Amino acid sequence: MTSYETPTNNLVGPLLTDLYQITMTYAHWKNKRHEEHSVFELFFRKNPFKGSFTLFCGLDEVVKHLHAFKFSQEDIDYLKSTPSLQHCDPGFFDYLLQLDCSKTQIQALPQGSLAFPRVPLVIVSGPLGVGQLLETTLLTLINYPSLLATNAARMVLRAHDHDNHRPQSADLPRQCQKQILCAEFGLRRAQGPDGGFSASKYAFVGLFAATSNVKAGKELGIPIVGTHAHAFVQSYLSLDEVQELTVANKNSGGQVNLLEKVLEYRDNKNGANLGEDFQKTNDGELAAFIAYACAFPDSFLCLVDTYDTVKSGLLNFCMVSLVLGDLGYTPKGIRLDSGDLAALSMACAHKFAELAKSQNRPFFHDLDIVASNDINEKTLVKLNQQGHAITLYGIGTNLVTCQAQPALGCVYKLVELNGKPRLKLSQEIAKVLIPGRKRAYRLFGKKEAPLLDLMVDADKDDPPEAGKPVLCRNPFQAMDRVMVTPSRVTLLHGVYFDGGKEALESVGSLQENRNLVKEQLGGVAGMGILDYEEPKQYPVMVSDNLYNFLHTMWQEQLPVPELS
Ligand SMILES: Nc1ncnc2c1ncn2[C@@H]1O[C@H](COP(=O)(O)OP(=O)(O)OP(=O)(O)O)[C@@H](O)[C@H]1O
Ligand SMILES: O=P(O)(O)OC[C@H]1O[C@H](OP(=O)(O)OP(=O)(O)O)[C@H](O)[C@@H]1O
Ligand SMILES: O=C(O)c1cccnc1
Ligand SMILES: [Mg+2]
């Protein structure tokens, strides 16, 4: 027998749900409907962040939940004791106790897929009793991961937009030309440990390069990165505190007193001629950098904004870096955590370019400039407009809390029972449900770019085929229709859980999910869908059959108002 992983968070189980799922399931059981065959769809109605795309995530934990789904005797004892359920027939609790997902199937988009409104992310088929019980748990396992991965990818896209704004100038510092990376720094600001860990995980799928979360590194294999905090700088007050510190000379092997070498630069005893500014920097900060260099001579990166970025931090960093360079080490860079990040990053990069030249130290060209401090998508756009030399963003609060839109509104709706489609009407057109069991396809055009997603009736429609024209309709607007002859067609959903038996598809590794994100975002690049300002909407359409079916059912079920 294959053993499956259990959910990452051990709060996940059949009780991690809303009471009304259990009361509805009791009513179904009581009325002998719990075994009827149901189909539920989980989807969202509107892309988050005023955007035109969403990345689907959370499927890995959904599959684990279905494999592990089982009420314990303690769960049942608790349910029996609650005022809402204590009157229930004892047979119901026997039913719950033996319940599992052996008759349930999950079809879904692959994790990391580009997803659009109304196309189901997940389709749950099987006994009504179980299908209903899964609603809230599946929503909580999908809403935040998908929102977070989308937020992450949007930030990475904005960071990369810098390529389009880069000024064309021959003497531009080398940092301005580097590929920009994003690292997730949000654990301390996240909504608790689960929010923090999930953010690290799904930000990686959403193209963040690394995380500062060590647990996520260990458990998930995500690259971990880190600099140091202000506290480290604050902990030193004077150069006396680092008088004895030595570092091995990488070339000769002998120990070298760092402070002595640094002072040779500062006081111009070695003829480097750095300038008077270097003599006026903060001593405590210089001591801290020397101490940090002793600990990390091979990966020396300093937070430079504790006192004054340009007048102190930058210069202190440069002096220690020059010494490390003399000893055979390659310093790594600086972090900016306040002030005007565009202007400061440029000032630092220009200083690096100047020293690379005047001191003949090419490593200055390759130093990283890390920027953090409340960065969000809008800040990234503004930084691009101004021009900057940041090579790595550390993003916490706005990424993990999804401050720009704190929830994705995925819903879970019954679309079919016992082979009969179910409809839900609403005054609000956006809330009208497209009834029945459907199949969804992505139709590609001549240039291999996706044209639209098409939902068809699973029973009545033939699948669309490459080279064959198909009528595609806006489900709610009669006049909005197009004839499409796709160059390629892909079926969007695969079977990821089949009653606990070996399913057809596996969710794959986070790296594979991330590769899919890269591939799918690359596939729509240049179509306007990923734009920040007024992004182009991607069409989601239905077959003629499905359109007619929706509107016939609509007319049958909605009473005609009387005019008197
Ligand atoms: N050049 C820039 N253009 C637009 N926004 C920027 C720029 N530089 C920084 N920001 C953003 O502006 C906000 C304010 O930065 P600032 O350093 O003034 O914040 P602060 O809260 O006063 O600093 P501190 O963190 O030291 O308290 C931050 O969210 C930062 O990301
Ligand atoms: O700004 P975020 O996107 O959330 O990124 C994470 C922040 O966490 C650290 O701040 P810290 O806890 O030291 O507080 P402070 O810098 O705001 O004073 C770090 O210096 C970043 O500023
Ligand atoms: O390593 C860092 O610089 C870091 C990590 C978490 C939060 N802020 C900064
Ligand atoms: Mg900070």
Side-chain angles (χ1 to χ4, degrees), residues 15 24-25 64 87 108 181 208 257 267 312 314 338 344 348 369 386 406 504 518:
L15 286 200
M24 277 188 281
T25 300
K64 291 179 201 170
H87 73 285
L181 297 175
F208 266 55
N257 182 297
D267 303 333
S312 184
L314 172 65
S338 59
L344 287 173
C348 294
I369 301 183
Q386 294 161 69
L504 292 177
K518 248 188 228 168

Side-chain angles (χ1 to χ4, degrees), residues 268-296:
N268 197 25
K269 285 188 209 136
N270 58 7
N273 260 330
L274 294 181
E276 280 180 18
D277 289 353
F278 284 78
Q279 287 160 15
K280 298 179 196 149
T281 60
N282 183 289
D283 277 0
E285 186 183 57
L286 181 57
F289 290 0
I290 288 172
Y292 205 65
C294 279
F296 294 99

Side-chain angles (χ1 to χ4, degrees), residues 179-227:
Q179 162 85 334
I180 301 171
L181 297 175
C182 295
E184 181 269 316
F185 278 3
L187 181 58
R188 65 187 58 202
R189 304 272 154 69
Q191 274 90 345
D194 184 76
F197 188 79
S198 302
S200 306
K201 177 180 180 181
Y202 296 109
F204 181 66
V205 176
L207 302 183
F208 266 55
T211 177
S212 61
N213 181 345
V214 182
K215 185 77 173 169
K218 174 172 179 266
E219 303 295 331
L220 306 170
I222 301 173
I224 53 172
V225 288
T227 72

Side-chain angles (χ1 to χ4, degrees), residues 373-430:
N373 186 25
D374 228 3
I375 287 168
N376 58 28
E377 231 190 311
K378 206 168 173 182
T379 317
L380 294 169
V381 171
K382 286 198 198 150
L383 292 172
N384 290 339
Q385 287 164 352
Q386 294 161 69
H388 67 78
I390 295 158
T391 63
L392 194 150
Y393 287 108
I395 312 184
T397 313
N398 287 288
L399 171 66
V400 304
T401 66
C402 296
Q403 205 153 27
Q405 179 176 329
L408 176 65
C410 278
V411 294
Y412 183 89
K413 299 287 163 190
L414 182 70
V415 294
E416 190 185 278
L417 192 63
N418 288 328
K420 297 213 178 64
R422 299 292 151 144
L423 181 68
K424 177 190 166 288
L425 293 176
S426 168
Q427 301 288 87
E428 249 180 276
I429 192 110

Side-chain angles (χ1 to χ4, degrees), residues 321-392:
S321 291
L322 283 165
V323 174
L324 285 176
D326 293 341
L327 301 178
Y329 299 97
T330 310
K332 214 156 163 249
I334 55 167
R335 176 161 73 97
L336 306 170
D337 191 42
S338 59
D340 181 335
L341 298 172
L344 287 173
S345 66
M346 288 306 286
C348 294
H350 280 299
K351 181 54 105 188
F352 293 156
E354 188 188 308
L355 289 173
K357 205 166 160 203
S358 67
Q359 303 298 313
N360 193 20
R361 290 284 182 278
F363 69 75
F364 275 104
H365 288 305
D366 299 317
L367 291 172
D368 269 315
I369 301 183
V370 182
S372 51
N373 186 25
D374 228 3
I375 287 168
N376 58 28
E377 231 190 311
K378 206 168 173 182
T379 317
L380 294 169
V381 171
K382 286 198 198 150
L383 292 172
N384 290 339
Q385 287 164 352
Q386 294 161 69
H388 67 78
I390 295 158
T391 63
L392 194 150

Side-chain angles (χ1 to χ4, degrees), residues 24 37 60 67 113 218 232 247 304 311 333 363 367 382 395 421 437 482 486 491 500 553:
M24 277 188 281
H37 187 77
D60 52 344
H67 278 295
S113 294
K218 174 172 179 266
F232 188 80
V247 168
V304 294
K311 292 201 183 112
F363 69 75
L367 291 172
K382 286 198 198 150
I395 312 184
R437 211 158 47 83
V482 280
L491 177 65
M553 247 188 125

